[in-house]
Each structure stands twice: as C-alpha cells, then as structure tokens.
Amino acid sequence: MARTRSAVVVDSALEAGMRRMGATDADVARIRLERGTALAHDPNVCEVWPENWEVLQFFLRAQTQWLYAGGGMGPAFRVAMNYPGVESVARIHGVPFEQLQAWDEDLRVIELAVLQADSELAAKRRNK
C-alpha cells in the first residue's frame, strides 16, 4: 500500500493553529496544496499509525480468508474471518505464531470494521 500524500490534511482546526502561530494566507495555501484539505480528502486513503502498519499489511494478505453466507436468492455476504485460514496465511508468510497471537485483537478490530462497513453499504443499497 503506497502512500501518495501526507496523512495529515488541513482542516479548520489545523488552519486556526497555523494562523495562531503566525502563518500567512500564502503559508496556509502552500500547506493545503502539499497536504490536501479535509474536504478534498480521498475517502480511499486513511491514516495508519506506525504501530498498526504491520498488522494492517498482514490483514491485507489474509483478506482472502473470509467466510460467506447467503447467496441463495440474494447475494452472498461476509460473516467472519476464517481464522484457521488466517493462521495458514501467517505460516506461508513466515509470521511467528506468537506474533499472530499478539495481533489477534487488532485483527478482530479490523474484521469488525470491515463487517460494519459492509452492513452500512448493504443498508444504503436497500434504501435506494
């Protein structure tokens, strides 16, 4: 996952802080060009804290390990991660079991966030 711009965008609070520290209109405009604005921020880009980078990279490798339900009269949908499959992905990529155990809670947080996002998208589709 390549970073294309700084994760910190210029929002009203950052701009106010810059101005309190003496930033001119030209300074604010330059920083907005360099970093983007909160309004123009790409929804497909998000900030990842350094301490979460490795677990996110692993999750992206293991994202093929979803369990699906449904599919009869409607579309199949994700219901959970297949954790034995996730463990296999870890072995294939040389991740020690102890590291996988340390990432367990983080992986579950990411899993629940994906399932929540899926649920929100499904609700939007139903309400169209």
Side-chain angles (χ1 to χ4, degrees):
M1 185 179 291
R3 288 180 152 180
T4 57
R5 68 164 65 167
S6 173
V8 178
V9 296
V10 179
D11 61 10
S12 58
L14 180 60
E15 182 177 341
M18 290 170 61
R19 292 195 185 281
R20 279 193 303 275
M21 295 177 69
T24 65
D25 288 341
D27 294 328
V28 172
R30 181 179 49 80
I31 297 298
R32 282 184 182 278
L33 281 173
E34 288 175 7
R35 297 184 176 232
T37 64
L39 296 175
H41 188 65
D42 182 346
N44 296 313
V45 175
C46 67
E47 180 178 6
V48 178
W49 293 352
E51 61 268 23
N52 296 326
W53 187 251
E54 277 189 282
V55 70
L56 176 63
Q57 292 300 302
F58 176 74
F59 177 82
L60 294 174
R61 283 188 206 110
Q63 68 181 338
T64 59
Q65 299 303 314
W66 285 102
L67 296 173
Y68 287 81
M73 295 298 287
F77 54 94
R78 289 185 270 222
V79 294
M81 292 293 290
N82 169 19
Y83 280 93
V86 170
E87 186 177 349
S88 293
V89 170
R91 279 196 312 272
I92 290 168
H93 289 282
V95 176
F97 184 73
E98 295 76 20
Q99 181 63 66
L100 188 59
Q101 286 178 313
W103 286 341
D104 180 64
E105 186 176 336
D106 296 330
L107 289 170
R108 291 178 193 279
V109 167
I110 297 169
E111 172 189 22
L112 291 175
V114 170
L115 293 173
Q116 179 65 37
D118 283 354
S119 177
E120 290 169 6
L121 285 172
K124 283 181 184 178
R125 284 188 203 111
R126 282 192 302 273
N127 293 330
K128 282 189 174 182

